[in-house]
Amino acid sequence: QVQLQESGPGLVKPSQTLSLTCTVSGDSITTPTYFWSWIRQPPEKGLEWIGYIGYLGSTSYNPSLKSRTSISRDTSTNQFSLQLSSVTPEDTAVYYCAGSTYGQGKYEIWGQGTQVTVSS
């Protein structure tokens, strides 16, 4: 059974970089099955896809966030990470990592989510 667990700071100051890590257990992130995504949900708003990294290491990003987003992976620790730069209070959200065999839009595996607040 594949499981995901997000980790990272819960509070980030404006203009700084938000950094989160997702630890994958039960399968290798290089197995040609899943695309590994980051998704967020701001307060009282819907889910927003941020981007994914594929099992070959290729990436795809939401155009509205692309200029500030970087998703990378560490195959030695079976983790993938999100960096979102120049954050503002509008980046406050619950951040999820997720796995999809479709790429994006439909996710078979979810982490529990982690609250990130952007505030000085």
Side-chain angles (χ1 to χ4, degrees), residues 11-46:
L11 180 65
V12 183
K13 295 186 185 303
S15 81
Q16 293 188 342
T17 296
L18 179 161
S19 297
L20 296 174
T21 296
C22 183
T23 300
V24 180
S25 60
D27 198 3
S28 169
I29 59 174
T30 61
T31 299
T33 303
Y34 293 106
F35 295 84
W36 304 103
S37 278
W38 286 99
I39 299 160
R40 69 182 183 180
Q41 185 168 26
E44 301 181 2
K45 294 185 179 181

Side-chain angles (χ1 to χ4, degrees), residues 44-62:
E44 301 181 2
K45 294 185 179 181
L47 294 170
E48 179 179 34
W49 175 72
I50 300 170
Y52 71 62
I53 186 164
Y55 49 82
L56 293 177
S58 60
T59 55
S60 180
Y61 301 119
N62 185 326

Side-chain angles (χ1 to χ4, degrees), residues 4 33-37 39 52 55 98-109:
L4 308 180
T33 303
Y34 293 106
F35 295 84
W36 304 103
S37 278
I39 299 160
Y52 71 62
Y55 49 82
S100 171
T101 59
Y102 299 89
Q104 64 176 102
K106 184 176 180 180
Y107 305 93
E108 291 95 334
I109 311 167

